[in-house]
Amino acid sequence: MNESIYPSIGVMLWGIVLGLVYFGGLWITVSRLPKVKRQALWMLSSFILRNILVAAGFYAVIRLGWQSVLLCLAGLLGVRLAMTRRINKSLEKGPVG
């Protein structure tokens, strides 16, 4: 048990960054959708860009082993859970104003 915990924390933080990129990008895409003229192109290009970035991020982690991939995925899904809860709470409050 000589392995350090720091690489595992780093991988999980990397997953959090990937989650922020993916789900933050999705939030930006959806919030700007009503203002965009070519909505389908906007959604498609956002989808492709977000998936390329996350796939590249996971590709960098794959060489560390399947345990690292799971930790990275846990970080990404943790961001999804946190953002979903935050959005649901703001929707329950109702419209502001």
Side-chain angles (χ1 to χ4, degrees):
M1 194 89 184
N2 292 340
E3 295 180 19
S4 175
I5 194 167
Y6 296 119
S8 298
I9 292 172
V11 169
M12 187 166 273
L13 288 174
W14 183 244
I16 291 171
V17 168
L18 292 177
L20 290 172
V21 166
Y22 189 85
F23 295 109
L26 179 60
W27 178 255
I28 291 169
T29 300
V30 171
S31 65
R32 291 188 182 171
L33 197 58
K35 302 169 191 151
V36 176
K37 289 185 180 182
R38 294 182 171 179
Q39 294 175 340
L41 180 62
W42 177 254
M43 287 293 293
L44 182 63
S45 57
S46 169
F47 174 76
I48 291 171
L49 179 64
R50 286 182 288 116
N51 280 292
I52 287 173
L53 291 173
V54 171
F58 271 98
Y59 183 75
V61 172
I62 281 177
R63 65 182 173 80
L64 301 174
W66 64 269
Q67 297 93 343
S68 295
V69 173
L70 288 180
L71 285 171
C72 187
L73 182 61
L76 185 135
L77 293 177
V79 170
R80 179 190 177 271
L81 181 65
M83 288 184 78
T84 304
R85 286 185 178 181
R86 185 171 184 171
I87 291 169
N88 283 338
K89 282 184 182 179
S90 67
L91 291 175
E92 288 173 359
K93 290 181 182 177
V96 177

